[in-house]
Amino acid sequence: MSVHKIDEKSSSEGSTDFAPELKTEPISLTEPTLRDYLIYASVSRSNETKPSDAQIEVEHARKTEHQRELDQARRALRTATWVSVFFLITTDILGPFNAPFAFSQVGYVPGAVLYVVMGGVACFTGLQLWKLFCRLDSHEFPVKTYGDLGERIFGKEFKHFCTVLQSLQLIINVGVICLSNAQSLEQLAANHQFCFSVSVLIWAIVGMCLGQVRSLQKYGFFANSAVWLNLLIIFTSMGFVAHSPPNFAAALTSLGQSEGPVQTAKFVSLPLFDKVNGIMQMVFAYGGAMIFPEFLAEMRRPMDFWKGMICAQLLICTAYLMYGLFVYSFQGQFTLPLAYQGVSKQSWQDVGNVFALITGIIAAGLYGNIGIKVAYYSIIEDWFKGPALTSRTGRFIWTVMVFIYWSLAFVVGSAIPQMKIAAAGLIAEDSLAIGDVIDANTPSKDPGDTWMQWSRWKRGFFGGTWYYNLFNLILFLASLSMACLGMYGSGTAIKATFQLEGAATSFGCRSPV
């Protein structure tokens, strides 16, 4: 393999170099600094731009031929393209079936405005994650999870904090999908002919089988299928809703709404916690960005991620608005959290439920795959210094973790049958991006301070474009406020729903629909 060495004066197409002053002999970086991460990331992006050309190396850390072969092997494992990422993101985020319920909680005007605003924020924060990944990930120091980004900037403790929150989010996501699929199965069974908790357990077992797949690239076909099936559900259920009265029985059980005329409004007058839950459904609708680093980690060219992400966000926002406005116009206050279950004719319910079972388990498999990888990298490899995931022993440990993970998802779904209504508030996430703390043009002048010193905070907030940093700070504080409101709304909604006559109970056999 041909090699081209760089020093701090060299540059390459499509990248920014952050090389430090060269040393005359090779060294091993056991505790790399933030500047080291930037240097190696710059080199990796340059090598990805023209993989057939001579590979660039940092001269003060020259590699042996064996190390170069390992780098080549790592690059070979990154096979996903931006088209694959488009389908993965759409599978991850596209779930417009709660959009009509969100409109029923806030009304036409707030619903339409907030879906567009939330979509814009989701796109902005997705681009932030993409930028951070490209500037901090390298073949020598790969970014594998969302928590790795936090570690690069704030240290190990912040990585563990991010990992715990992300793991909690993904387990709840998988539990909610198991719950949704169980509700679909109950409707298919016609009038709840077997125990609801058993329905949840069935999908947890299916997930345990699907979870044996380790590579996201192998999910490409399934993700592609899930996108088209979701769109098919959207258009068929829109036709069904237009020719069917609401499912009054399910609305009474799930929402406490008695049969009556359909009512819609520009602005809805409901208790605060109901409105908060409606808004949280919109947050939840775009709430898959925390697994973007996992998608990026398996891309052949991470710099192309923005193409798939923006295309996916445009499709998702359009689907949410179109589907939400249409179904709410026909079903009003009787709109269910899973809109395709809101038609009264059993055969039409069955069509939506069958397709939703397929797309739901694919999405759950995707979340489970990411969640288990996060746990494996953090617990097995980081804490216990265990074997790599690709090893034979790693395969065995992965299998055990799959069973544990899906068992926890079953507990979440069966313990709180009303989780679908309130899940959004429990998974509300916040994003923070701090400005550059190292001047890209003068890497040798890194002062070497830490986050414990005011000089770094000052440089981060007031260096470069201060108004961009101010916007990020306001967005962060607004996200924290939304998270607190979401926890209040979800807790109040769960309590109110449990108190309804005939409501489903924890680990019980009564269905919530």
Side-chain angles (χ1 to χ4, degrees):
M1 178 186 296
S2 58
V3 175
H4 173 65
K5 303 182 182 67
I6 65 168
D7 60 19
E8 68 175 21
K9 301 296 183 182
S10 65
S11 61
S12 56
E13 181 179 345
S15 69
T16 302
D17 293 317
F18 300 93
E21 296 178 356
L22 296 177
K23 297 185 179 180
T24 56
E25 67 278 350
I27 63 169
S28 175
L29 291 175
T30 56
E31 294 185 5
T33 65
L34 178 59
R35 188 159 61 104
D36 294 323
Y37 290 131
L38 294 170
I39 296 165
Y40 282 95
S42 175
V43 171
S44 294
R45 300 293 85 80
S46 297
N47 289 334
E48 289 164 356
T49 302
K50 294 184 178 180
S52 59
D53 291 358
Q55 296 293 289
I56 301 171
E57 289 183 5
V58 180
E59 187 171 353
H60 77 273
R62 292 189 292 271
K63 300 176 182 178
T64 65
E65 191 61 33
H66 176 64
Q67 289 173 324
R68 294 180 188 126
E69 291 174 357
L70 288 178
D71 283 349
Q72 188 67 25
R74 293 190 190 101
R75 282 191 287 270
L77 291 175
R78 293 186 169 192
T79 56
T81 64
W82 71 266
V83 178
S84 302
V85 165
F86 165 78
F87 287 111
L88 287 170
I89 292 176
T90 310
T91 302
D92 166 27
I93 297 179
L94 181 60
F97 311 116
N98 64 351
F101 177 75
F103 277 97
S104 72
Q105 302 299 293
V106 298
Y108 284 117
V109 176
V113 171
L114 286 173
Y115 262 117
V116 173
V117 171
M118 296 295 182
V121 172
C123 188
F124 174 73
T125 54
L127 290 173
Q128 285 183 317
L129 289 174
W130 166 68
K131 178 183 177 182
L132 286 171
F133 182 93
C134 289
R135 296 190 64 182
L136 294 172
D137 167 77
S138 64
H139 299 298
E140 291 80 7
F141 307 105
V143 172
K144 299 178 182 178
T145 67
Y146 186 90
D148 288 337
L149 291 176
E151 180 187 16
R152 296 288 195 271
I153 301 172
F154 291 108
K156 282 276 187 182
E157 293 76 12
F158 193 73
K159 175 185 178 179
H160 298 325
F161 176 72
C162 291
T163 299
V164 170
L165 290 182
Q166 185 182 15
S167 299
L168 179 62
Q169 179 207 25
L170 292 172
I171 289 176
I172 293 177
N173 268 338
V174 174
V176 167
I177 294 174
C178 287
L179 178 63
S180 301
N181 278 9
Q183 291 178 2
S184 297
L185 190 61
E186 287 284 339
Q187 285 195 333
L188 286 170
N191 299 322
H192 324 310
Q193 295 177 351
F194 58 93
C195 183
F196 181 72
S197 289
V198 174
S199 301
V200 180
L201 179 62
I202 289 173
W203 293 106
I205 294 173
V206 172
M208 291 175 185
C209 298
L210 186 62
Q212 301 307 317
V213 177
R214 287 180 293 177
S215 172
L216 282 181
Q217 180 65 15
K218 295 179 181 179
Y219 272 98
F221 171 77
F222 297 110
N224 190 338
S225 304
V227 172
W228 298 111
L229 285 174
N230 271 328
L231 293 175
L232 182 61
I233 297 172
I234 289 173
F235 292 117
T236 55
S237 62
M238 286 169 69
F240 296 156
V241 164
H243 297 86
S244 169
N247 188 342
F248 294 113
L252 179 62
T253 302
S254 182
L255 306 173
Q257 291 283 355
S258 301
E259 184 174 348
V262 172
Q263 298 176 352
T264 59
K266 296 178 182 178
F267 299 90
V268 175
S269 298
L270 287 174
L272 176 61
F273 72 87
D274 283 330
K275 291 185 177 182
V276 168
N277 277 327
I279 296 172
M280 287 300 108
Q281 295 294 333
M282 302 175 196
V283 177
F284 182 46
Y286 296 104
M290 287 187 74
I291 64 175
F292 284 3
E294 282 81 353
F295 294 161
L296 281 156
E298 300 204 17
M299 287 190 69
R300 185 182 298 117
R301 285 171 53 93
M303 291 294 291
D304 292 340
F305 173 82
W306 67 272
K307 303 175 185 177
M309 195 271 293
I310 289 180
C311 291
Q313 296 287 11
L314 287 173
L315 172 63
I316 290 163
C317 185
T318 302
Y320 284 152
L321 285 172
M322 177 186 69
Y323 189 69
L325 290 168
F326 186 91
V327 175
Y328 174 58
S329 297
F330 282 94
Q331 297 207 326
Q333 75 274 28
F334 302 106
T335 305
L336 296 180
L338 290 174
Y340 57 83
Q341 295 180 345
V343 293
S344 55
K345 193 172 181 178
Q346 180 67 40
S347 58
W348 289 352
Q349 290 178 18
D350 293 347
V351 172
N353 283 325
V354 168
F355 287 134
L357 289 178
I358 300 172
T359 59
I361 199 61
I362 292 174
L366 176 63
Y367 287 131
N369 180 282
I370 298 297
I372 297 167
K373 280 181 179 175
V374 170
Y376 191 96
Y377 293 142
S378 300
I379 299 174
I380 305 301
E381 292 189 6
D382 193 7
W383 293 359
F384 293 103
K385 310 300 179 185
L389 180 58
T390 53
S391 66
R392 184 183 299 272
T393 307
R395 169 76 228 188
F396 174 77
I397 297 174
W398 171 271
T399 301
V400 174
M401 293 182 70
V402 167
F403 285 103
I404 296 174
Y405 195 90
W406 283 88
S407 298
L408 292 174
F410 162 73
V411 171
V412 170
S414 189
I416 311 177
Q418 294 79 13
M419 179 64 78
K420 186 63 186 176
I421 298 176
L426 298 176
I427 315 174
E429 42 187 298
D430 50 89
S431 302
L432 170 63
I434 294 180
D436 297 336
V437 295
I438 292 181
D439 186 346
N441 299 315
T442 56
S444 61
K445 295 181 180 179
D446 176 16
D449 50 8
T450 69
W451 291 109
M452 300 298 293
Q453 298 169 288
W454 167 243
S455 57
R456 173 169 285 197
W457 288 95
K458 181 180 179 181
R459 194 167 63 258
F461 280 115
F462 301 108
T465 52
W466 64 267
Y467 49 87
Y468 175 78
N469 298 332
L470 179 62
F471 175 79
N472 285 330
L473 177 61
I474 294 173
L475 179 62
F476 169 66
L477 296 176
S479 301
L480 286 180
S481 301
M482 289 291 288
C484 294
L485 277 174
M487 288 185 283
Y488 157 75
S490 60
T492 307
I494 290 175
K495 179 181 177 181
T497 308
F498 265 123
Q499 292 173 346
L500 292 175
E501 183 178 354
T505 58
S506 299
F507 301 102
C509 287
R510 181 184 292 274
S511 172
V513 295

